[in-house]
Amino acid sequence: MKENCVDIITLGCSKNLVDSEKLMRQLEANGMTVRHDPKVPGAEYVVINTCGFIGDAQEESVQTILECCDMKKRGRIRKVFVMGCLSEKFMGDLVAEIPEVDKFTGKFNWNEILPEIKAEWHPELANERHLTTPSHYAYLKIAEGCNRKCSYCAIPLMTGPYVSRSQEDILQEAKKLVAKGVREIQLIAQDLTYYGLERSHKAEIADLVRRISDIPGIDWIRLHYGYPNQFPMELLSVMRERENVCRYLDLALQHISDPVLKRMHRNITAAETRDLLASIREEVPGIHLRTTLMVGFPGETEEDFAQLEEFVKETRFERMGAFAYCQVDGTYSAIHFKDDVEEEVKQARLSRLMRIQQNISAELSDAKIGQTLKTIIDRREGDYYIGRTEFDSPEVDPEVLIKADGRLRYGQFYNVKVTDADAFDLYGEIKK
């Protein structure tokens, strides 16, 4: 057991990661040694930042808690603390079922862990973090919560209604990140496009992105998690006009069949979705669209799924992920709809959809051969430096592999000529 040390294990999304980074900074200000996601926890204190989004994530969180409690029982850990979305939603059940945990907090009151380890809260550090990402990029969370009420989603149940941070607060944090060497900002929220609506009754995201792009030292700003209904079209003008706003948009669409969209409570039709995508691509030439789709939602017929297949073929998303519907307790769909699509059918549909996308991705990657792309270097693996273009978000998108014939600096931009490609990655060489 490593004394006066805290191991923090982060499960789930990048929004959780930001919370962990803020906790790490507070602990370091109290003179403690902090480790993030160690291969084997062995600190005096362990904090598990949980995810409660879908069944698999919940299971992973519970399993991690139990493993750490077992290590505590064997004397390898002194205290175990749990925070995050899972405990926010299932606090009562978790306290009753896993009493070995020394303290549970929710998603927003994690600072209550500090006095449990004789640490103090430093309010002047509220917007500072210990970055766990490579030093040249960071996630910047602009809001908490969600007001969308999609029938399958438990996020509003865990995080509550949408609350936008002030623009001044966000800009201050962005400037602090730049001062630390960050050159690429990954702008995140459960729904970026709702930013400001709950307080001013108009979307403020375009103005916010414009102001962030004015900060000297920020080379790339990437937008994650937009919503198609009531999309703020003025955001596209900012993306088109500002060189440091990446031509990249993560816009979760979920489905294209009107009956399925209606049961999902998405408040948009297939025709409106197609019109929006056409407008986005017209307004921002060369934009790369990332989306997430769901198969097997209650009542999804073969005809519904055939429409989804055709939609993927015709739209040719540059980036696409998909998952099978998983019923989550407490959601509208779990209460009102029967989970009537067999698991085998869900998985078969998922495989079919991803095969279509894999072929599309391979064709779009092949089309980049011969192009020269601005590329940032993230790391080195074996004989290759690994980089990304403006069209690639860390960890989820394709990467650019560059033979390590010379020395490249992490966090620096290079012009890379694409020499080869596969369905997942590009291969290139530095253009002299």
Side-chain angles (χ1 to χ4, degrees):
M1 182 192 304
K2 189 172 178 60
E3 299 289 335
N4 201 41
C5 179
V6 183
D7 285 344
I8 297 181
I9 301 170
T10 303
L11 305 172
C13 66
S14 53
K15 297 184 290 295
N16 270 11
L17 182 64
V18 169
D19 296 336
S20 291
E21 291 177 341
K22 289 188 173 183
L23 174 58
M24 292 175 72
R25 183 67 184 93
Q26 292 288 331
L27 292 168
E28 288 172 338
N30 283 272
M32 307 197 77
T33 301
V34 188
R35 303 185 300 186
H36 187 255
D37 282 348
K39 290 184 179 179
V40 180
E44 185 175 7
Y45 309 105
V46 172
V47 181
I48 305 163
N49 191 352
T50 57
C51 178
F53 181 47
I54 58 176
D56 288 347
Q58 294 174 12
E59 184 177 336
E60 180 187 19
S61 292
V62 170
Q63 185 61 36
T64 303
I65 295 169
L66 294 175
E67 289 173 357
C68 288
C69 286
D70 181 65
M71 296 177 71
K72 174 188 171 184
K73 183 178 180 181
R74 290 185 282 121
R76 295 181 59 185
I77 295 171
R78 180 165 297 165
K79 290 188 176 183
V80 176
F81 305 103
V82 176
M83 60 183 278
C85 293
L86 186 76
S87 51
E88 183 75 34
K89 185 181 180 187
F90 299 107
M91 179 74 73
D93 293 339
L94 290 169
V95 169
E97 295 176 13
I98 316 179
E100 297 86 356
V101 171
D102 292 276
K103 186 175 182 64
F104 287 95
T105 72
K107 180 173 174 56
F108 304 109
N109 62 330
W110 51 260
N111 59 330
E112 294 178 9
I113 292 172
L114 297 173
E116 297 290 323
I117 54 179
K118 299 181 175 59
E120 296 181 353
W121 169 256
H122 290 260
E124 73 278 9
L125 302 178
N127 276 343
E128 293 195 13
R129 293 143 56 186
H130 173 117
L131 294 182
T132 60
T133 54
S135 60
H136 54 276
Y137 73 80
Y139 296 97
L140 180 54
K141 183 162 52 172
I142 67 171
E144 292 283 8
C146 185
N147 285 5
R148 294 296 187 178
K149 311 299 183 185
C150 299
S151 66
Y152 53 84
C153 185
I155 295 296
L157 302 177
M158 293 182 282
T159 63
Y162 201 95
V163 179
S164 303
R165 293 175 62 189
S166 73
Q167 291 199 26
E168 297 308 321
D169 197 43
I170 295 168
L171 292 169
Q172 181 186 56
E173 183 173 355
K175 291 173 182 176
K176 288 182 178 180
L177 291 171
V178 171
K180 289 184 176 182
V182 170
R183 306 183 67 179
E184 177 184 358
I185 297 288
Q186 316 289 341
L187 216 58
I188 58 172
Q190 187 61 32
D191 176 6
L192 284 180
T193 47
Y194 200 91
Y195 177 76
L197 270 172
E198 88 287 2
R199 63 184 178 207
S200 62
H201 304 293
K202 67 175 183 178
E204 300 177 18
I205 185 64
D207 184 53
L208 175 66
V209 173
R210 187 181 294 109
R211 295 183 70 187
I212 294 174
S213 75
D214 284 335
I215 297 174
I218 296 180
D219 292 282
W220 278 351
I221 302 167
R222 196 184 315 279
L223 308 180
H224 284 281
Y225 319 126
Y227 192 88
N229 177 248
Q230 297 178 312
F231 184 87
M233 300 302 289
E234 61 271 21
L235 179 60
L236 302 177
S237 298
V238 179
M239 188 177 294
R240 184 180 64 248
E241 295 165 4
R242 297 297 176 108
E243 188 175 340
N244 60 353
V245 179
C246 295
R247 292 172 295 164
Y248 177 103
L249 183 62
D250 193 330
L251 191 68
L253 298 176
Q254 306 302 347
H255 217 281
I256 198 60
S257 162
D258 281 327
V260 176
L261 289 170
K262 185 175 182 180
R263 289 195 299 276
M264 286 181 167
H265 295 175
R266 294 291 286 176
N267 299 309
I268 194 169
T269 66
E272 290 167 342
T273 299
R274 288 184 166 92
D275 287 346
L276 173 63
L277 296 178
S279 295
I280 290 173
R281 284 183 163 158
E282 181 179 357
E283 289 289 322
V284 188
I287 192 172
H288 280 43
L289 293 174
R290 162 170 278 283
T291 197
T292 305
L293 301 174
M294 182 191 301
V295 301
F297 189 77
E300 183 190 58
T301 64
E302 278 296 337
E303 180 183 351
D304 294 326
F305 179 69
Q307 291 182 38
L308 188 61
E309 286 184 298
E310 187 60 34
F311 175 62
V312 171
K313 291 175 184 177
E314 72 184 38
T315 308
R316 294 176 63 82
F317 291 103
E318 287 80 10
R319 314 281 183 251
M320 192 203 85
F323 64 100
Y325 170 76
C326 175
Q327 185 169 284
V328 179
D329 291 344
T331 59
Y332 183 95
S333 63
I335 296 170
H336 296 279
F337 301 142
K338 180 182 178 182
D339 188 5
D340 57 357
V341 181
E342 296 290 337
E343 188 61 32
E344 294 80 4
V345 175
K346 291 179 184 178
Q347 294 305 318
R349 290 176 180 175
L350 181 61
S351 296
R352 283 163 58 184
L353 202 63
M354 292 311 297
R355 278 197 298 271
I356 293 170
Q357 180 61 30
Q358 184 171 342
N359 290 333
I360 293 170
S361 296
E363 292 170 2
L364 294 176
S365 292
D366 284 346
K368 289 186 170 72
I369 295 175
Q371 295 182 21
T372 297
L373 303 174
K374 182 179 178 181
T375 303
I376 194 168
I377 304 300
D378 282 342
R379 66 193 185 279
R380 179 172 175 171
E381 291 183 3
D383 294 332
Y384 291 92
Y385 283 101
I386 311 297
R388 289 175 294 107
T389 72
E390 69 171 300
F391 310 119
D392 308 310
S393 187
E395 299 183 1
V396 296
D397 287 329
E399 296 175 314
V400 182
L401 281 66
I402 306 158
K403 193 73 173 176
D405 295 328
R407 183 175 177 83
L408 303 182
R409 295 177 61 190
Y410 301 158
Q412 296 298 311
F413 291 93
Y414 296 88
N415 290 321
V416 176
K417 183 177 181 180
V418 180
T419 57
D420 200 359
D422 57 33
F424 303 103
D425 296 307
L426 303 177
Y427 296 83
E429 56 188 26
I430 302 298
K431 189 172 181 180
K432 305 298 184 182

